[in-house]
Amino acid sequence: HVQLVESGGGSVQAGQTLSLSCTSSMLTISRYCVAWFRQVSGEERELVVAIGGDSDGRTNYADSVKGRFTISKDNAKNTLNLQMNSLRPEDTGVYYCAARGNSWCATPPLSGTFGFWGRGTQVTVS
């Protein structure tokens, strides 16, 4: 079955930078709509950013991260990346990589439209 594995989480001070990565052994990330979600304990999982597959490379960023976060795909490494700059305490949460079995992302890209999920990586900003 499809597995997504996140890496790169950690604890940083506000204003600092973190980079997250997500890779899969079974899914060619470049072809599909993939996304980063985050969740704080007791709250719903929220979209951070989604990006379409090769035929639809549009991105959809949450307003709260626009201008600070950048999603990208490294096709050679079959990796989805999230560069997070100017981190804020409210960015704290578990970050999940998600994939959808289509090249196009749903509008809006709700969590229920993604069928494959990683186990998450913790990001803590203090």
Side-chain angles (χ1 to χ4, degrees), residues 3-8 19-25 27 29 34-36 72-74 77-82 95-99 116-119 121:
Q3 284 187 315
L4 299 171
V5 180
E6 302 95 340
S7 62
S19 295
L20 304 182
S21 294
C22 170
T23 191
S24 174
S25 60
L27 182 143
I29 287 175
V34 286
W36 289 98
S72 64
K73 297 179 181 180
D74 185 332
K77 297 181 179 179
N78 196 36
T79 300
L80 175 69
N81 300 310
L82 181 65
Y95 282 68
Y96 296 91
C97 174
F116 308 104
W117 292 86
R119 293 187 175 183
T121 185

Side-chain angles (χ1 to χ4, degrees), residues 6-7 9 46 57 59 64 68 71 83 89 99 103 108 113:
E6 302 95 340
S7 62
E46 64 172 1
T59 57
S64 60
R68 301 188 297 122
I71 192 171
Q83 176 70 27
S103 62
T113 65

Side-chain angles (χ1 to χ4, degrees), residues 20-42:
L20 304 182
S21 294
C22 170
T23 191
S24 174
S25 60
M26 296 290 291
L27 182 143
T28 303
I29 287 175
S30 64
R31 296 180 183 174
Y32 298 100
C33 170
V34 286
W36 289 98
F37 285 78
R38 66 186 179 195
Q39 187 170 26
V40 176
S41 179

